[in-house]
Amino acid sequence: MADMKVAAYICQGCGLGERLDTASLAKIAQKEGKAQVVREHPFLCNAEGVAMIRNDIDNEAVTHVMIAACSRRAKTEAFGFTDVAMSRANLREGVIWIRPDDEASRETTQEMAEDYVRMGCAEVKKMKLPEADPAAVTERRVLVVGGGISGMTAALEASRAGYRVVLVEKTGALGGWGARLYKRSPSRSPYADPQDTGVDAMIAAVTSDGNIKVYTNAITSKIEGAPGRFIAEVSTESGATTTETVGSIVQATGFSLYDANNLPELGYGKSANVVDQAGLEALARAANGGAIKRPSDGGDVKTVVFVQCAGQRDETGKHLPYCSGSCCLTSVKQAMYFKDQNPDVDTVVIYTDLRMPGNGEDFYRSGQNKGVTFTKGKVSSVEATGNTCKVNFQDLILNDQTAIENADLVVLATGQVANSGVDVDAKLKAEIAAAAGDNTLLDAWNASQAEGAVKPISVLNLAYRQGPDLPQLKYGFTDSHFICFPYETRRTGIYAAGPVRRPMDIIQATEDATGAALKAIQAIENAALGRAAHPRSGDLSFPKVRIEGCTQCKRCTVECPFGAIDEDEKRYPLFNQSRCRRCGTCMGACPVRVISFENYSVDTVGSQIKAVDVPDEFSEKPRILILACENDAYPALDMAAMNKEVYSAWVRVIPVRCLGSVNTIWITDALNSGYDGVMMLGCKHGEDYQCHFVKGSELASYRMSKVGDTLQGMGLEPERVQVFEAAITDIERLPRLINEYSDQIAALPPSPFKGF
Amino acid sequence: MSIEKYRKNFLKEVEERVEEGQWVKMCMQCGVCAGSCPFGPHWEHTPQKIFMMIRAGKREEVLTSDSMWMCTSCYNCVVRCPRKLPITHIMHGLAYLSKREGLMPKNQPTAQFGQLFWDNLTKNGRVNELKLSLGMYFKDGFSQGIKNAMAMQSVGMGMMKAKRLNPMEILGGHGIKDKSGFSAMLKKAKELEDARRKLA
């Protein structure tokens, strides 16, 4: 850029002035960093210091600012200059707070600071001020798929916030499961009695809401586009197809009950008196407050047995392995249907663990008060004879194989199965399992592909390269970031709400749907401004690709954890900016390095790596590059610094957006420049991942597992490049880890590449 | 009465006939009482199990259990019970029902002591410590009584020195003035309690 003007500011506050020779840092910024303006200031983040920088930007035509002060995570408001490209050299948390204040350390501490100034200057010169996506378009409507309680809640909440909604329901009527219940578990204090579902009122509110357009008997037969510009085809049963443009999507397709026909040992299908929870609701609705009769002959019901965890928490692999977290509440509620009508009816709940989420404990207590009997036990079988059943079970408290005879009705709590459509990763998961020696998934996959096999039906029918539905994480539930961002799926602008996301009850589903509606609105508003939706909410940068250099290797399209990249007709990657989370995983993947962000690129990091002054092999001063995830590892290092934890002066830390954005060229560059080791700090990956970008750290460790060949080719030891998992709480562990690694590297001979 | 398993008949009986019995249904089977009881390993069933047995309709097993008799009333379980069950009171209530139904274990020392104490007290309206101790020592026969008395000799002498045990009590001992009024009171109280607990 012809009119680039770089200014470097060295802060002397917070002890920097006393601990460091800032005059020599300023000299380095000027001579080596080639900053046209260099200023030292005793207290850079105060009003006067900030005004000084502001003045340089406004009146001295400064376009690039390098601030050598505290961590980039500190003083973000004071240094929030949005009209210039800016880098931060971390002299406080990165240098003086993690080094001992003594004469022996003075020299190495100063060298550290000097390197960070060099790196800051090198970085900022490669940065551009990000501009919002120029192609940003806005459609402010929300598409809600599924008209149950979750879907209707999401629609009503979005409408109340002033957004128009398109609600698509597959069946002929709104209401979902809620409409099939006689009553629901209580949502209000004192949490003692079943209460009206409120579904009718909700349906009335939805149908009378001018902001909500409802399609029943309809599915989304095709969805393409990206946040702010989704185009959805809504096909009704009659064959009519309407095209709706929407800004974001909430998928609230709920659950199906686990099929009780899989449980013949529990008597289902053998006797009309064995029902699942839905069957009992139907009986209760039919009785409508009167006595519920025995289905087989209409006789009086004197004893009801509720079998918890029927086909759930199963360790044999035949049934659901998980707990649905809501069936205990339902069984207590259903036992009350009987007790409230006639206290003399015996109601026995056989459970292994009662799970009563939220205020469910009060409801449980109320059930006990009403005389519902709770028995800790495991049901082995239900025998149907005539009009009654015998429930055989192991009493787990009395350690007794026993039975309840003459039960008039047996209710099986069978649990929730997510209606999440096609498992887009099924084949991949099967192949990974097969590679690990387990062929069951692959066999299942092959069977599902055979001629005449029942194919899973897609819910969303996304026209995405990565498949027609939201990716699933575990047990068929849609993937969401459980810990950090529970509503966010791996498809930006599409949010899963309710039991499709994880098993839940009505109270939780209502909250969930409200949250999803807010996320949907957030996605629309950010897309309108051409900014990232989340987790880098408001980020204006987005990946740019130098298409003429692209070799069509497809790694970016395949590896993007969010399915943001399609392919155009010439098979080049087609970036959908508003689907992008700005993690840079594509940038890390690209073997020809044609993908970059304005303010984060192969060059911004690469130039920092090269800017470090690597001492020669006789100096006994090794250099170790640390690439630290800015979401967890870097904050942990900052916090370690606040605790004045000491770590090695040989390391130079560069924060990265995600380990997934680490391009292997950085590793080879570092080793070629004479670094003795490279340490990567990223988040936990695997099934219980903590990576903000879901797959980033996993991809990084996969890519780094292949670096061994490169190292061998360079004649270097494999331990010179290592990936570590770090959590934001590793405040004490990380400095220890760094010191151990540093000792390990120092014990190796110096890198043979020094001085080239 | 025929008791069906896991039906509420026995639970209902306990609720009606046992002091604080209406609390039994509120037990959530956490086992904190069982873990808190200093006598835990020494008796047949923990309170947790007793409550489960009541729900399971095991009337005979509950009322013949020695557990209620082993309770020392330390109240550890009551203090710790997350559901605030008055466990100690329930245990005593069950013991009383078991005795009334003639189901208490034979030669249960606590039960024997209880009977001795009651007889001793109701005779004169005052407890005669000397007769009570001797009654306890000699309950298993003369020679065992001598052995017990010898073993407790120093305690007895100490109590005598401290004027806590009067040897002259052997001749009959002290009592209250209106013994017949006292018996009438006890009789009436028993009538009321039996009516309330349907034990008559």
Side-chain angles (χ1 to χ4, degrees), chain B residues 89-102:
Chain B
H89 299 192
I90 302 170
M91 296 306 273
H92 293 330
L94 284 169
Y96 185 58
L97 179 64
S98 131
K99 180 171 160 44
R100 287 297 304 255
E101 296 287 302

PDB file of all heavy atoms in Angstrom, chain B residues 89-102:
ATOM      1  N   HIS B  89     -37.722 -41.247  65.721  1.00  0.00           N
ATOM      2  CA  HIS B  89     -39.085 -41.413  66.237  1.00  0.00           C
ATOM      3  C   HIS B  89     -39.790 -42.558  65.518  1.00  0.00           C
ATOM      4  O   HIS B  89     -40.511 -43.336  66.143  1.00  0.00           O
ATOM      5  CB  HIS B  89     -39.882 -40.117  66.052  1.00  0.00           C
ATOM      6  CG  HIS B  89     -39.276 -38.964  66.783  1.00  0.00           C
ATOM      7  ND1 HIS B  89     -39.921 -37.775  66.963  1.00  0.00           N
ATOM      8  CD2 HIS B  89     -38.070 -38.812  67.375  1.00  0.00           C
ATOM      9  CE1 HIS B  89     -39.140 -36.949  67.640  1.00  0.00           C
ATOM     10  NE2 HIS B  89     -38.014 -37.545  67.887  1.00  0.00           N
ATOM     11  N   ILE B  90     -39.568 -42.632  64.186  1.00  0.00           N
ATOM     12  CA  ILE B  90     -40.210 -43.705  63.423  1.00  0.00           C
ATOM     13  C   ILE B  90     -39.714 -45.055  63.929  1.00  0.00           C
ATOM     14  O   ILE B  90     -40.480 -46.002  64.100  1.00  0.00           O
ATOM     15  CB  ILE B  90     -39.945 -43.558  61.920  1.00  0.00           C
ATOM     16  CG1 ILE B  90     -40.455 -42.197  61.416  1.00  0.00           C
ATOM     17  CG2 ILE B  90     -40.618 -44.679  61.135  1.00  0.00           C
ATOM     18  CD1 ILE B  90     -40.018 -41.857  59.993  1.00  0.00           C
ATOM     19  N   MET B  91     -38.408 -45.140  64.181  1.00  0.00           N
ATOM     20  CA  MET B  91     -37.840 -46.405  64.656  1.00  0.00           C
ATOM     21  C   MET B  91     -38.474 -46.807  65.992  1.00  0.00           C
ATOM     22  O   MET B  91     -38.842 -47.963  66.198  1.00  0.00           O
ATOM     23  CB  MET B  91     -36.313 -46.292  64.811  1.00  0.00           C
ATOM     24  CG  MET B  91     -35.558 -46.044  63.519  1.00  0.00           C
ATOM     25  SD  MET B  91     -35.917 -47.226  62.225  1.00  0.00           S
ATOM     26  CE  MET B  91     -34.759 -48.514  62.582  1.00  0.00           C
ATOM     27  N   HIS B  92     -38.625 -45.840  66.888  1.00  0.00           N
ATOM     28  CA  HIS B  92     -39.249 -46.162  68.179  1.00  0.00           C
ATOM     29  C   HIS B  92     -40.710 -46.546  67.980  1.00  0.00           C
ATOM     30  O   HIS B  92     -41.214 -47.460  68.639  1.00  0.00           O
ATOM     31  CB  HIS B  92     -39.128 -44.967  69.126  1.00  0.00           C
ATOM     32  CG  HIS B  92     -37.712 -44.689  69.525  1.00  0.00           C
ATOM     33  ND1 HIS B  92     -36.750 -45.674  69.613  1.00  0.00           N
ATOM     34  CD2 HIS B  92     -37.071 -43.537  69.850  1.00  0.00           C
ATOM     35  CE1 HIS B  92     -35.603 -45.148  69.968  1.00  0.00           C
ATOM     36  NE2 HIS B  92     -35.765 -43.836  70.114  1.00  0.00           N
ATOM     37  N   GLY B  93     -41.365 -45.856  67.060  1.00  0.00           N
ATOM     38  CA  GLY B  93     -42.767 -46.164  66.778  1.00  0.00           C
ATOM     39  C   GLY B  93     -42.919 -47.585  66.257  1.00  0.00           C
ATOM     40  O   GLY B  93     -43.829 -48.321  66.654  1.00  0.00           O
ATOM     41  N   LEU B  94     -41.981 -47.966  65.375  1.00  0.00           N
ATOM     42  CA  LEU B  94     -42.017 -49.330  64.825  1.00  0.00           C
ATOM     43  C   LEU B  94     -41.764 -50.358  65.916  1.00  0.00           C
ATOM     44  O   LEU B  94     -42.388 -51.427  65.956  1.00  0.00           O
ATOM     45  CB  LEU B  94     -40.969 -49.475  63.716  1.00  0.00           C
ATOM     46  CG  LEU B  94     -41.320 -48.825  62.373  1.00  0.00           C
ATOM     47  CD1 LEU B  94     -40.096 -48.811  61.465  1.00  0.00           C
ATOM     48  CD2 LEU B  94     -42.481 -49.561  61.698  1.00  0.00           C
ATOM     49  N   ALA B  95     -40.850 -50.014  66.845  1.00  0.00           N
ATOM     50  CA  ALA B  95     -40.548 -50.933  67.945  1.00  0.00           C
ATOM     51  C   ALA B  95     -41.806 -51.172  68.778  1.00  0.00           C
ATOM     52  O   ALA B  95     -42.116 -52.308  69.159  1.00  0.00           O
ATOM     53  CB  ALA B  95     -39.431 -50.351  68.809  1.00  0.00           C
ATOM     54  N   TYR B  96     -42.522 -50.091  69.022  1.00  0.00           N
ATOM     55  CA  TYR B  96     -43.741 -50.197  69.824  1.00  0.00           C
ATOM     56  C   TYR B  96     -44.764 -51.089  69.124  1.00  0.00           C
ATOM     57  O   TYR B  96     -45.365 -51.978  69.729  1.00  0.00           O
ATOM     58  CB  TYR B  96     -44.308 -48.791  70.069  1.00  0.00           C
ATOM     59  CG  TYR B  96     -45.506 -48.777  70.982  1.00  0.00           C
ATOM     60  CD1 TYR B  96     -45.431 -49.298  72.274  1.00  0.00           C
ATOM     61  CD2 TYR B  96     -46.713 -48.223  70.559  1.00  0.00           C
ATOM     62  CE1 TYR B  96     -46.536 -49.280  73.118  1.00  0.00           C
ATOM     63  CE2 TYR B  96     -47.818 -48.204  71.389  1.00  0.00           C
ATOM     64  CZ  TYR B  96     -47.728 -48.737  72.675  1.00  0.00           C
ATOM     65  OH  TYR B  96     -48.822 -48.730  73.487  1.00  0.00           O
ATOM     66  N   LEU B  97     -44.928 -50.872  67.792  1.00  0.00           N
ATOM     67  CA  LEU B  97     -45.882 -51.692  67.045  1.00  0.00           C
ATOM     68  C   LEU B  97     -45.469 -53.155  67.082  1.00  0.00           C
ATOM     69  O   LEU B  97     -46.299 -54.051  67.282  1.00  0.00           O
ATOM     70  CB  LEU B  97     -45.959 -51.198  65.594  1.00  0.00           C
ATOM     71  CG  LEU B  97     -46.912 -51.975  64.684  1.00  0.00           C
ATOM     72  CD1 LEU B  97     -48.352 -51.835  65.158  1.00  0.00           C
ATOM     73  CD2 LEU B  97     -46.793 -51.523  63.230  1.00  0.00           C
ATOM     74  N   SER B  98     -44.173 -53.382  66.925  1.00  0.00           N
ATOM     75  CA  SER B  98     -43.664 -54.750  66.906  1.00  0.00           C
ATOM     76  C   SER B  98     -43.944 -55.434  68.237  1.00  0.00           C
ATOM     77  O   SER B  98     -44.335 -56.590  68.310  1.00  0.00           O
ATOM     78  CB  SER B  98     -42.169 -54.711  66.560  1.00  0.00           C
ATOM     79  OG  SER B  98     -41.410 -55.466  67.442  1.00  0.00           O
ATOM     80  N   LYS B  99     -43.783 -54.674  69.350  1.00  0.00           N
ATOM     81  CA  LYS B  99     -44.057 -55.250  70.666  1.00  0.00           C
ATOM     82  C   LYS B  99     -45.547 -55.527  70.831  1.00  0.00           C
ATOM     83  O   LYS B  99     -45.950 -56.602  71.294  1.00  0.00           O
ATOM     84  CB  LYS B  99     -43.561 -54.295  71.754  1.00  0.00           C
ATOM     85  CG  LYS B  99     -43.808 -54.836  73.139  1.00  0.00           C
ATOM     86  CD  LYS B  99     -43.144 -54.021  74.209  1.00  0.00           C
ATOM     87  CE  LYS B  99     -43.789 -54.292  75.564  1.00  0.00           C
ATOM     88  NZ  LYS B  99     -44.049 -55.709  75.857  1.00  0.00           N
ATOM     89  N   ARG B 100     -46.355 -54.567  70.426  1.00  0.00           N
ATOM     90  CA  ARG B 100     -47.804 -54.741  70.546  1.00  0.00           C
ATOM     91  C   ARG B 100     -48.295 -55.945  69.745  1.00  0.00           C
ATOM     92  O   ARG B 100     -49.214 -56.639  70.139  1.00  0.00           O
ATOM     93  CB  ARG B 100     -48.539 -53.486  70.053  1.00  0.00           C
ATOM     94  CG  ARG B 100     -48.431 -52.310  70.985  1.00  0.00           C
ATOM     95  CD  ARG B 100     -49.070 -52.596  72.340  1.00  0.00           C
ATOM     96  NE  ARG B 100     -50.459 -52.999  72.219  1.00  0.00           N
ATOM     97  CZ  ARG B 100     -51.499 -52.238  72.506  1.00  0.00           C
ATOM     98  NH1 ARG B 100     -51.296 -51.032  72.962  1.00  0.00           N
ATOM     99  NH2 ARG B 100     -52.729 -52.684  72.363  1.00  0.00           N
ATOM    100  N   GLU B 101     -47.635 -56.177  68.626  1.00  0.00           N
ATOM    101  CA  GLU B 101     -48.047 -57.279  67.765  1.00  0.00           C
ATOM    102  C   GLU B 101     -47.371 -58.586  68.188  1.00  0.00           C
ATOM    103  O   GLU B 101     -47.549 -59.615  67.523  1.00  0.00           O
ATOM    104  CB  GLU B 101     -47.708 -56.975  66.310  1.00  0.00           C
ATOM    105  CG  GLU B 101     -48.457 -55.776  65.735  1.00  0.00           C
ATOM    106  CD  GLU B 101     -49.927 -56.077  65.481  1.00  0.00           C
ATOM    107  OE1 GLU B 101     -50.221 -57.011  64.723  1.00  0.00           O
ATOM    108  OE2 GLU B 101     -50.794 -55.397  66.076  1.00  0.00           O
ATOM    109  N   GLY B 102     -46.541 -58.499  69.261  1.00  0.00           N
ATOM    110  CA  GLY B 102     -45.849 -59.686  69.751  1.00  0.00           C
ATOM    111  C   GLY B 102     -44.809 -60.230  68.784  1.00  0.00           C
ATOM    112  O   GLY B 102     -44.531 -61.430  68.766  1.00  0.00           O
TER     113      GLY B 102
END
